[in-house]
Amino acid sequence: MVRQPYLKKGSWNRDEDQKLIAYITRYGIWNWNEMPRFAGLQRSGKSCRLRWVNYLRPNIRRGNFSREEEETIIHLQKTLGNRWSAIAARLPQRTDNDIKNYWNSRLKKRVIVESNNSASSPTETKSSVEENSSDADSSMMLGIFLDSDTPGMHDFAEIAADTTFFPSGSNLSVPVDDHYSMAMDNYLVSYWEILSFLEQPQMIEGLDCEAISQNSQQWHSHHQQYYDPLHDFWVSPLIL
DNA sequence: AAGCAAGACAACCGCCCCGGC
DNA sequence: AGCCGGGGCGGTTGTCTTGCT
């Protein structure tokens, strides 16, 4: 009988985030179910995927939706329904989970109120965005700046180069939005921490990182995957 | 200051789709 | 054609934060 390895649930901690970021940055996304084991994470593949897609991957904008984004979501929800991934595809840098949460917590009520109001009087409901108008300035990004010469790093470097998110000359992100800053403080990963992590693969507890590297490469080779420098990930070519 | 309610959001669960065999 | 595994999606839940009394 094969014993099912213990799989942790619940909130991710900083250490787990670091491991996932470092692993994906180094080896790319090749198999979500196998990846946690090689990355030294006691998480399910699904959990890792969710964490990466909704939270850790580069170029995600968080918090404070602009008025245009709100209107777009409302419009698309009317036309597409609750197809959050389709809606997210039309809102760059937003995740479907974020949009879904935002809709459920705010927009749905607002739309209901407005539709009720429009039936009686056409007074406009005050947008929450008007109170948080500087959406770009107050956006929250996971702050990582890494050497753009390192495979998988140029997205991070692009974020770092964006002065909207980072103070000029700083390698480390500083979240502008206090609300998110407090909530996310535990998750901020500094340049130096990531870099030292990458330089010291033996930090992955109890795992032979050389073997991991070889196994990953063997897997890539076996599954005919190739590194795509454009997208910074391993890809499976279509063989027709 | 403490307790409670509501809001916000991260994460999980279950289902479905698709491709490979 | 049917089965299986991986990945994606939407709904829901759990937990933390905030605001009010």
Side-chain angles (χ1 to χ4, degrees), chain A residues 201-221:
Chain A
Q202 68 275 14
M203 284 175 66
I204 301 176
E205 295 166 17
L207 290 172
D208 180 345
C209 294
E210 280 302 312
I212 289 171
S213 174
Q214 285 173 12
N215 282 340
S216 294
Q217 285 163 12
Q218 282 169 10
W219 193 94
H220 292 311
S221 170

Side-chain angles (χ1 to χ4, degrees), chain A residues 5-195:
Chain A
Y6 166 74
L7 293 179
K8 193 181 167 194
K9 290 184 181 180
S11 297
W12 282 63
N13 61 37
R14 178 189 173 122
D15 186 50
E16 291 175 306
D17 282 347
Q18 283 186 355
K19 284 181 180 176
L20 185 59
I21 291 168
Y23 187 85
I24 290 177
T25 301
R26 174 169 281 188
Y27 300 113
I29 297 167
W30 51 283
N31 181 313
W32 284 116
N33 281 333
E34 294 294 324
M35 190 189 295
R37 190 161 56 91
F38 289 116
L41 291 163
Q42 291 175 318
R43 294 277 184 174
S44 69
K46 278 196 169 191
S47 182
C48 291
R49 179 190 157 272
L50 210 64
R51 184 66 179 169
W52 174 256
V53 168
N54 289 328
Y55 206 85
L56 298 177
R57 73 183 158 94
N59 293 332
I60 293 179
R61 214 161 90 199
R62 306 186 59 78
N64 296 317
F65 283 70
S66 69
R67 183 165 191 78
E68 289 74 24
E69 285 176 315
E70 281 192 347
E71 296 306 325
T72 303
I73 293 168
I74 291 169
H75 172 71
L76 290 174
Q77 202 280 335
K78 265 183 195 167
T79 57
L80 298 173
N82 294 350
R83 293 176 57 205
W84 305 117
S85 59
I87 294 172
R90 303 194 193 186
L91 286 166
Q93 304 176 334
R94 296 290 187 185
T95 70
D96 53 358
N97 205 44
D98 235 15
I99 293 169
K100 178 174 61 182
N101 282 333
Y102 193 69
W103 170 264
N104 286 331
S105 63
R106 302 192 200 185
L107 294 182
K108 188 157 75 175
K109 291 170 200 164
R110 188 181 127 195
V111 167
I112 291 170
V113 168
E114 284 182 353
S115 64
N116 287 342
N117 286 348
S118 67
S120 52
S121 68
T123 52
E124 191 181 353
T125 307
K126 182 171 182 174
S127 166
S128 61
V129 174
E130 290 173 30
E131 295 153 20
N132 307 296
S133 56
S134 56
D135 72 295
D137 287 347
S138 57
S139 292
M140 174 62 208
M141 297 292 293
L142 174 67
I144 301 165
F145 172 71
L146 291 163
D147 187 342
S148 58
D149 289 332
T150 308
M153 295 303 182
H154 77 241
D155 278 339
F156 292 115
E158 279 178 12
I159 297 169
D162 186 343
T163 53
T164 301
F165 300 112
F166 296 86
S168 62
S170 170
N171 283 348
L172 177 64
S173 80
V174 177
V176 180
D177 185 307
D178 286 343
H179 174 76
Y180 280 96
S181 172
M182 290 172 64
M184 303 295 296
D185 222 24
N186 291 333
Y187 295 105
L188 289 177
V189 181
S190 76
Y191 163 64
W192 296 111
E193 284 169 324
I194 281 287
L195 203 60

